[in-house]
């Protein structure tokens, strides 16, 4: 299966976003996702990045990018300023997990969150074999990983429930980027390498 | 240094007969602006960039004069073929603002009504007055809209003011090391600098030209004070520390610490060429700058009038106009859904960082400008 820019979650995210929407991408890297959304969905986009090289790359890509630290909140952004706030493969790198989720739904109507699932069976097998997992969705060695939070799909859903966040949609992908077509939560947690959620606040 | 210098440049002079009504209520019946240009204005006149200067700057932004090879423009490191302000693509305009002391009409130039230097009679000018004067220069050059207006510090404030006053004439604005208005602390520093000049016995109420003297002592102190606020504490510590010029304490009031020597040198140098009345005017323009005043302090409402794409740049060690001040501008633009990028550059030179050559800083400015289609 081929995916846009080699990122299967990008296609899912793009499918949730309507033309003309205002999108904020947290940890936007070089702005690849925003550029894709601007070109294919005609959105208005802004990114937040902490890293100098990514700031430069995003500006080079013609993307609006704001240098900032997600751990310190999103003070520059007004309440409900965006239709979608995206946190793509970044939640596991943020220490203030609840803080950033709350901030996303303060500045945005909907939050889109994707993250690697640590309960994916290959990751579990790795640990059983005595090694920390390294995979397509967890591409780092333990000593150079930016990840600071290690959690599973089920853990995440518990936190959402605890915080009163509503899961509007969930897509779970295996390592090849194919949708995991199971209904049992336990199976999905076992077979999914990457989870993509669409969240809102309770209305 | 990447790219090349623009090489030999010449300054030009434009005379304006149409009176300029100023924010202060004063009127300049006629005035001159000196300016320089680099690169070539394209047929559509759509590739022009205006570079606005800060407190002590002027029209000589880049290059050098044929008869003064050592007189290099104040922002030469960013202008030229292959540099961020690429003269192969853009037509760059720099000018000396009204009230300046580098050739444009100011306190030290002759008032045609009296045949004497303007001195204390020169009216107080505001940032918005400069912007209107600059717009007339743009008209003269046939430039309907700037590809970009940019500057650092007080120059950045002019870029911001341009985007508010003439939204249709600014396609991009680059606002570096600036603030939407001065803080009480900023104004306090400016007032101490002004008091140093105003209380100098050689000031003569601003008409020192007639007395064939200059308030050099006051201007020197003003510059020494200002200079401290342009540097970072870390940088001063690294550069001077507590180094002594001689090995032991002298227990007197002569120059002992290296930092004293440096500041006195900077003060003397500046007082030797800069005009004290211009210094007073520039600091007042800074103090009065507050475009949100028209909207009861609501900067978001003010920035709603803008149409430009923005690049806002701050420096982590700048405590005169700290990153938080730049973020106020960013927040007001975001609240209006404007196209804006913001970079906080980690350079160690405090407020003066904006004049430094740094690969990342210049990379950011260059990348933003490369995406502008003239």
């Amino acid at each position: 299966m081929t995916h846009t820019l080699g990122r299967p979650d990008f296609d899912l995210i793009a499918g949730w976003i309507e033309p003309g929407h205002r999108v904020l991408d947290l940890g936007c890297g070089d702005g690849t996702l925003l550029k894709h959304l601007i070109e294919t969905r005609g959105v208005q986009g802004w990114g937040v990045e902490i890293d100098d090289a990514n700031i430069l790359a995003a500006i080079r890509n013609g993307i609006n990018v704001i240098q900032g630290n997600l751990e310190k909140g999103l003070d520059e952004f007004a309440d409900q300023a965006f239709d979608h706030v995206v946190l793509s493969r970044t939640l596991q790198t943020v220490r203030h997990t609840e803080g950033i989720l709350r901030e996303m739904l303060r500045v945005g109507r909907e939050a889109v969150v994707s993250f690697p699932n640590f309960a994916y069976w290959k990751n579990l097998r790795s640990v059983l074999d005595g090694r920390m997992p390294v995979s397509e969705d967890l591409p780092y060695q333990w000593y150079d990983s930016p990840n600071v939070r290690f959690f599973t799909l089920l853990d995440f859903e518990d936190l959402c429930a605890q915080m009163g966040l509503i899961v509007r949609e969930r897509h779970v992908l295996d390592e090849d980027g194919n949708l995991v077509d199971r209904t049992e939560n336990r199976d999905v947690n076992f077979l999914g390498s990457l989870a993509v959620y669409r969240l809102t606040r309770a209305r | 240094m990447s790219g090349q210098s623009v090489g030999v440049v010449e300054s030009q002079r434009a005379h304006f007969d149409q009176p300029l009504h100023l924010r202060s209520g004063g009127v300049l019946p006629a005035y001159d602006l000196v300016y320089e240009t680099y690169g070539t204005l394209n047929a559509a006149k759509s590739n022009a960039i205006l570079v606005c200067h800060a407190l002590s700057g002027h029209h000589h932004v880049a290059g050098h004069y044929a008869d003064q090879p050592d007189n290099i423009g104040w922002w030469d490191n960013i202008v030229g073929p292959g540099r961020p302000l690429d003269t192969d693509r853009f037509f760059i305009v720099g000018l000396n603002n009204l009230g300046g002391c580098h050739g444009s009409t100011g306190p030290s130039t002759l008032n045609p009504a009296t045949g004497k230097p303007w001195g204390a009679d020169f009216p107080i000018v505001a940032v918005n007055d400069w912007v209107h004067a600059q717009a007339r220069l743009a008209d003269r050059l046939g430039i309907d809209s700037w590809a970009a207006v940019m500057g650092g510090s007080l120059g950045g404030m002019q870029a911001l003011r341009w985007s508010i006053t003439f939204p249709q004439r600014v396609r991009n604005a680059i606002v570096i090391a600036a603030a939407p208005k001065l803080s009480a602390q900023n104004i306090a520093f400016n007032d101490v600098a002004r008091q140093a000049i105003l209380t100098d016995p050689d000031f003569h109420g601003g008409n020192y030209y007639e007395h064939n003297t200059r308030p050099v002592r006051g201007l020197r102190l003003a510059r020494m004070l200002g200079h401290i606020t342009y540097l970072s504490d870390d940088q001063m510590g690294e550069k001077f520390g507590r180094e002594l010029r001689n090995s032991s304490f002298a227990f007197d009031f002569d120059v002992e610490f290296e930092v004293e020597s440096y500041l006195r040198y900077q003060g003397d140098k500046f007082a030797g060429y800069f005009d004290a009345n211009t210094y007073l005017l520039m600091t007042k323009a800074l103090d009065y700058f507050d475009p949100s005043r028209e909207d009861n302090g609501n900067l978001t409402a003010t920035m709603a009038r803008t149409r430009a794409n923005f690049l806002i740049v701050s420096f982590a060690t700048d405590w005169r106009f700290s990153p938080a001040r730049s973020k106020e501008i960013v927040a007001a633009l975001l609240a209006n859904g404007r196209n804006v990028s913001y970079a906080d550059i980690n350079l160690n030179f405090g407020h003066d960082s904006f004049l430094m050559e740094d690969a990342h800083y210049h990379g950011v400015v260059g990348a933003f400008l490369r995406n502008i289609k003239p």
Side-chain angles (χ1 to χ4, degrees):
Chain A
M1 193 170 169
T2 57
H3 302 286
T4 305
L5 313 161
R7 291 280 301 266
D9 51 331
F10 282 9
D11 290 332
L12 294 173
I13 294 169
W16 287 336
I17 291 172
E18 285 168 36
H21 271 182
R22 288 186 179 190
V23 179
L24 179 65
D25 184 6
L26 304 177
C28 69
D30 65 2
T32 300
L33 173 62
L34 282 171
K35 201 176 162 99
H36 173 61
L37 293 174
I38 290 164
E39 283 165 4
T40 62
R41 309 293 292 168
V43 306
Q44 250 197 306
W46 292 263
V48 175
E49 249 302 324
I50 192 168
D51 178 68
D52 282 350
N54 280 334
I55 290 284
L56 179 58
I59 291 176
R60 213 171 258 155
N61 274 328
I63 298 300
N64 291 316
V65 64
I66 308 298
Q67 192 152 25
N69 182 351
L70 299 181
E71 302 284 13
K72 293 184 175 165
L74 302 172
D75 286 348
E76 297 96 311
F77 302 94
D79 293 358
Q80 300 295 296
F82 301 93
D83 298 295
H84 288 90
V85 181
V86 178
L87 189 65
S88 165
R89 302 186 194 225
T90 302
L91 186 63
Q92 75 281 0
T93 69
V94 178
R95 205 166 280 282
H96 297 95
T97 313
E98 289 174 83
I100 193 64
L101 289 172
R102 254 194 300 275
E103 278 288 84
M104 288 175 78
L105 285 166
R106 174 183 68 79
V107 305
R109 204 160 46 78
E110 288 195 5
V112 175
V113 180
S114 74
F115 58 84
N117 176 30
F118 281 77
Y120 178 49
W121 66 274
K122 282 191 187 172
N123 297 341
L124 299 181
R125 192 183 63 186
S126 218
V127 174
L128 284 175
D129 284 346
R131 297 289 178 180
M132 286 303 280
V134 176
S135 69
E136 186 78 12
D137 293 316
L138 285 173
Y140 300 98
Q141 296 293 338
W142 65 273
Y143 51 82
D144 66 5
S145 173
N147 300 335
V148 296
R149 297 284 185 227
F150 304 91
F151 54 101
T152 73
L153 199 144
L154 297 181
D155 292 332
F156 180 71
E157 290 180 16
D158 281 353
L159 178 65
C160 289
Q162 197 182 306
M163 290 178 66
L165 308 181
I166 310 295
V167 175
R168 297 282 166 190
E169 267 184 86
R170 174 185 82 184
H171 288 308
V172 181
L173 305 165
D174 66 19
E175 214 176 345
D176 297 323
N178 299 312
L179 278 176
V180 175
D181 190 17
R182 298 293 183 99
T183 46
E184 277 294 313
N185 252 352
R186 207 172 163 280
D187 296 346
V188 175
N189 200 33
F190 191 67
L191 296 172
S193 174
L194 185 77
V196 193
Y197 284 84
R198 185 177 173 187
L199 308 170
T200 62
R201 280 198 287 207
R203 297 207 171 119
Chain B
M1 196 187 292
S2 65
Q4 293 171 299
S5 166
V6 293
V8 174
V9 300
E10 284 177 17
S11 50
Q12 303 175 69
R13 173 176 296 272
H15 179 74
F16 297 85
D17 275 328
Q18 192 190 351
L20 187 68
H21 293 265
L22 304 169
R23 172 88 168 69
S24 60
V27 180
L28 274 176
Y31 54 91
D32 284 8
L33 293 175
V34 292
Y35 65 99
E36 289 181 8
T37 70
Y38 323 112
T40 309
L41 188 60
N42 63 10
K45 302 191 172 183
S46 61
N47 67 333
I49 296 178
L50 176 64
V51 177
C52 304
H53 69 76
L55 200 150
S56 60
H58 43 71
H59 55 290
H60 186 36
V61 180
H64 61 269
Y65 301 125
D67 58 346
Q68 299 171 47
D70 295 333
N71 186 354
I72 296 167
W74 57 269
W75 214 358
D76 186 75
N77 63 25
I78 207 168
V79 181
R83 289 188 181 163
L85 277 77
D86 191 340
T87 46
D88 287 339
R89 292 188 67 220
F90 294 111
F91 177 69
I92 317 290
V93 179
L95 83 166
N96 186 211
N97 279 324
L98 285 176
C101 55
H102 291 88
S104 291
T105 299
S108 54
T109 61
L110 289 185
N111 179 353
T114 62
K116 293 193 291 186
W118 279 91
D121 291 338
F122 196 86
I124 296 268
V125 283
V127 169
N128 209 17
D129 299 327
W130 289 336
V131 166
H132 279 95
Q134 291 160 2
R136 288 189 185 172
L137 180 63
D139 294 342
R140 184 73 58 90
L141 297 170
I143 297 161
D144 282 341
S145 94
W146 298 99
V149 179
M150 64 183 292
S153 189
L154 180 54
M157 293 171 179
Q158 290 160 64
L160 195 62
R161 187 71 244 193
W162 257 100
S163 73
I164 299 161
T165 302
F166 295 113
Q168 309 301 338
R169 301 190 74 172
V170 186
R171 279 171 281 142
N172 297 275
I174 304 180
V175 179
I176 303 170
K181 62 184 173 210
L182 264 60
S183 67
Q185 188 194 49
N186 294 148
I187 295 171
F189 276 119
N190 281 345
D191 192 47
V192 175
R194 281 192 297 269
Q195 285 298 316
I197 293 168
L198 294 168
T199 58
D200 185 322
D202 289 332
F203 184 64
H204 297 289
N207 295 317
Y208 44 85
Y209 317 98
E210 302 165 19
H211 295 81
N212 289 317
T213 183
R214 300 169 63 244
V216 170
R217 285 167 291 180
L219 186 56
R220 173 177 177 271
L221 281 179
R223 182 60 167 183
M224 286 172 74
L225 176 72
H227 209 89
I228 297 169
T229 70
Y230 303 150
L231 307 179
S232 73
D233 190 19
D234 281 356
Q235 175 199 8
M236 279 182 120
E238 276 169 29
K239 199 166 175 177
F240 310 109
R242 292 179 51 83
E243 288 298 313
L244 294 166
R245 302 191 74 202
N246 300 309
S247 52
S248 59
F249 290 163
F251 297 103
D252 64 22
F253 300 112
D254 277 344
V255 176
E256 282 200 86
F257 291 93
E258 285 294 351
V259 67
E260 295 174 316
S261 163
Y262 172 80
L263 275 182
R264 291 181 196 195
Y265 170 76
Q266 291 294 337
D268 287 337
K269 192 173 77 166
F270 186 75
Y273 72 85
F274 206 81
D275 181 62
N277 280 319
T278 290
Y279 201 89
L280 294 175
L281 286 177
M282 296 283 163
T283 59
K284 281 308 266 191
L286 274 163
D287 291 1
Y288 288 134
F289 180 73
D290 178 11
S292 75
R293 200 176 157 85
E294 295 155 27
D295 301 284
N296 300 315
N298 183 346
L299 186 64
T300 300
T302 306
M303 298 316 284
R305 298 205 280 284
T306 65
R307 290 291 173 273
N309 305 313
F310 288 83
L311 173 64
I312 312 292
V313 177
S314 66
F315 297 94
T317 56
D318 183 355
W319 57 279
R320 188 178 173 97
F321 298 136
S322 71
R325 308 307 314 281
S326 283
K327 283 187 194 169
E328 293 173 30
I329 303 169
V330 172
L333 289 165
L334 286 168
N336 284 294
R338 294 288 174 268
N339 286 318
V340 52
S341 285
Y342 165 63
D344 182 33
I345 312 278
N346 197 9
L347 264 176
N348 201 19
F349 305 101
H351 187 59
D352 265 356
S353 295
F354 86 88
L355 293 167
M356 302 299 165
E357 195 194 345
D358 172 74
H360 177 58
Y361 166 39
H362 280 192
V364 163
V365 173
F368 184 82
L369 286 172
R370 259 193 301 282
N371 281 328
I372 294 178
K373 289 163 193 69

